[in-house]
Amino acid sequence: MPGFTLDEVRDRTLKERDSWLTVSLVDPVAVRAVRLIANRTSITPNQLTVAALFLGLGAAVCFALGYRQFLALGALLYVLCFLVDCVDGKLARLTGSETLFGSWMDYVSDRFRVLVCAVALMGGQYVVAEEVNPDSNPVWFVWLALAVVFLDMLRYLNALQVYKVRREMRSHLAAALERARATLSMLEPGEDDTASATGGGGRTMSDGGEQAVLRHGIGVLEQILHSQTEREARNHRTAGKQPDLTLPKVDLHQEFRSRFPWYQRFWAALSMRRIRTHLVGGIEFQLAVFVVAPLAVAVVGAPTLIGWIAAVTGVLLLAFEIAIIYKLWLSTRDFFRVVDGIDGALRFSGPSDGAEESRDSGSDSDPGSQTTLR
């Protein structure tokens, strides 16, 4: 059985950036639990996913009972559920046992847990409120349950769609990179320098001409593509035959950074602590609704606190989601600006005479040269 050290667990399981709650409260406990499980047991990540689901269902049962002592117990079970849910993914990364089915199990169990706990918590408070005051008709608990489920689904569906759009932009940039490389290979002289010099071979040109333009464009494209992945963004690329010429870092967030110059400093300060700038996301929302709110009601005894806590965190969640959508919109504007510039450079730097005519006739029938994102 492998003997993982704590440093190995941290290096192989911790994400480069994560929720501030996960970084500050969960990770210190989770990495030690992962090390213990990996070194001394044969528990699998899928078994932990099932255990987290049952802990979540246990929390839902306590929430459904509605009384203060059960609310506190339900909050405790939800904390344990969340901790185990964090451990299963870390264990899979540590042991190299990540699977597509495991990812599906984790995602579906998370969404099911939120649905059941939301209905149970609000339903339990509805019943308790009617018992205390039969004339109260606390129907707002029903709408609150629907709002909690809607916001949770919105957060994760939006994250999937943003990822899909960014991946599509990345694939279009990769295609533009391949077109630029193909054009460069057509412009470069052939091996027969004599034929080239006499006009019998390919065109001759210097690095200061069209080849240099395309080499620089290829370098910039590679920078853009690598900037989409944080680890790749650390690599420096060089242009053409001038290894001492380092291209500037280029990404698809130029317009966003120009409008919000303070954001880069804010991002850098949080990134040093592994904290993402999305400060209120699904994790914060869930823990506020299913841990903080039940504990507040258990201590104070005012069911309306659940509504206020859910409303405040829900508004903050929406605000951060809108910010992500706005940033994505600005990224698409930068994307089209870059792609149009690349296409213009390729048209300008393409082969002349018969080759130019052939390229123009072929471009009309090439559907891949036109982006589908507009």
Side-chain angles (χ1 to χ4, degrees):
M1 189 170 293
F4 297 105
T5 66
L6 200 57
D7 288 336
E8 287 177 332
V9 176
R10 290 194 183 100
D11 292 339
R12 297 174 62 173
T13 64
L14 295 182
K15 298 178 181 178
E16 286 198 54
R17 294 203 311 273
D18 211 334
S19 160
W20 65 272
L21 274 174
T22 302
V23 171
S24 58
L25 300 179
V26 178
D27 280 347
V29 178
V31 293
R32 288 167 172 80
V34 168
R35 183 192 177 208
L36 178 65
I37 293 171
N39 288 341
R40 301 190 179 183
T41 72
S42 58
I43 296 175
T44 66
N46 287 347
Q47 290 172 341
L48 290 177
T49 301
V50 174
L53 176 61
F54 278 100
L55 285 171
L57 294 177
V61 171
C62 294
F63 291 153
L65 295 176
Y67 299 108
R68 295 168 67 173
Q69 62 271 25
F70 288 108
L71 289 177
L73 179 58
L76 176 60
L77 288 176
Y78 200 92
V79 170
L80 293 175
C81 161
F82 182 76
L83 178 62
V84 174
D85 188 49
C86 290
V87 167
D88 65 356
K90 288 178 169 56
L91 180 64
R93 289 192 292 273
L94 179 66
T95 58
S97 55
E98 294 173 289
T99 63
L100 293 176
F101 181 73
S103 299
W104 176 85
M105 278 185 62
D106 187 64
Y107 180 81
V108 171
S109 63
D110 285 351
R111 305 286 71 73
F112 181 72
R113 181 183 71 228
V114 171
L115 171 63
V116 173
C117 285
V119 173
L121 178 62
M122 305 310 169
Q125 293 307 296
Y126 182 95
V127 172
V128 170
E130 280 202 327
E131 288 180 355
V132 174
N133 184 5
D135 298 328
S136 62
N137 191 24
V139 70
W140 63 273
F141 280 113
V142 177
W143 293 107
L144 189 58
L146 294 175
V148 168
V149 174
F150 169 77
L151 289 173
D152 178 76
M153 292 302 298
L154 173 67
R155 161 73 187 112
Y156 286 93
L157 290 177
N158 185 50
L160 290 174
Q161 189 62 24
V162 168
Y163 171 76
K164 177 182 176 182
V165 173
R166 293 193 183 281
R167 185 178 59 181
E168 189 171 352
M169 288 194 294
R170 184 186 177 96
S171 67
H172 278 283
L173 289 175
L177 176 61
E178 291 304 315
R179 293 200 304 273
R181 285 172 173 165
T183 304
L184 178 62
S185 66
M186 295 174 62
L187 290 175
E188 286 180 331
E191 295 181 358
D192 187 358
D193 292 336
T194 303
S196 299
T198 59
R203 296 171 60 197
T204 60
M205 56 194 70
S206 67
D207 278 350
E210 297 169 0
Q211 289 186 51
V213 172
L214 276 178
R215 287 182 188 278
H216 180 79
I218 289 172
V220 171
L221 268 174
E222 289 174 343
Q223 282 290 327
I224 293 173
L225 288 171
H226 287 313
S227 68
Q228 304 304 304
T229 305
E230 293 175 352
R231 292 178 180 176
E232 293 176 335
R234 300 191 185 103
N235 299 328
H236 294 288
R237 297 279 176 170
T238 57
K241 297 180 180 179
Q242 305 177 53
D244 57 336
L245 175 60
T246 302
L247 292 174
K249 181 180 179 181
V250 183
D251 57 31
L252 294 180
H253 300 299
Q254 293 180 5
E255 188 170 354
F256 182 84
R257 298 180 198 280
S258 64
R259 295 192 181 194
F260 305 96
W262 54 267
Y263 175 79
Q264 186 62 25
R265 296 190 298 272
F266 179 62
W267 179 91
L270 292 181
S271 183
M272 290 178 60
R273 298 168 176 81
R274 295 196 308 109
I275 298 175
R276 66 188 182 190
T277 54
H278 193 163
L279 296 179
V280 180
I283 293 174
E284 291 79 12
F285 181 67
Q286 286 184 36
L287 293 182
V289 174
F290 300 125
V291 177
V292 177
L295 286 177
V297 174
V299 173
V300 179
T304 55
L305 283 175
I306 293 180
W308 282 109
I309 293 173
V312 170
T313 53
V315 168
L316 291 174
L317 173 67
L318 279 177
F320 276 92
E321 292 304 306
I322 293 171
I324 289 177
I325 295 171
Y326 177 69
K327 187 177 180 182
L328 177 65
W329 174 67
L330 293 181
S331 295
T332 60
R333 287 162 57 97
D334 281 336
F335 166 78
F336 288 122
R337 173 183 54 77
V338 170
V339 170
D340 291 342
I342 293 167
D343 289 340
L346 289 177
R347 287 192 297 270
F348 175 77
S349 301
S352 60
D353 304 331
E356 176 71 20
E357 181 180 353
S358 174
R359 186 183 65 81
D360 287 342
S361 62
S363 63
D364 294 337
S365 60
D366 182 12
S369 63
Q370 301 296 326
T371 181
T372 59
L373 292 175
R374 291 187 186 275

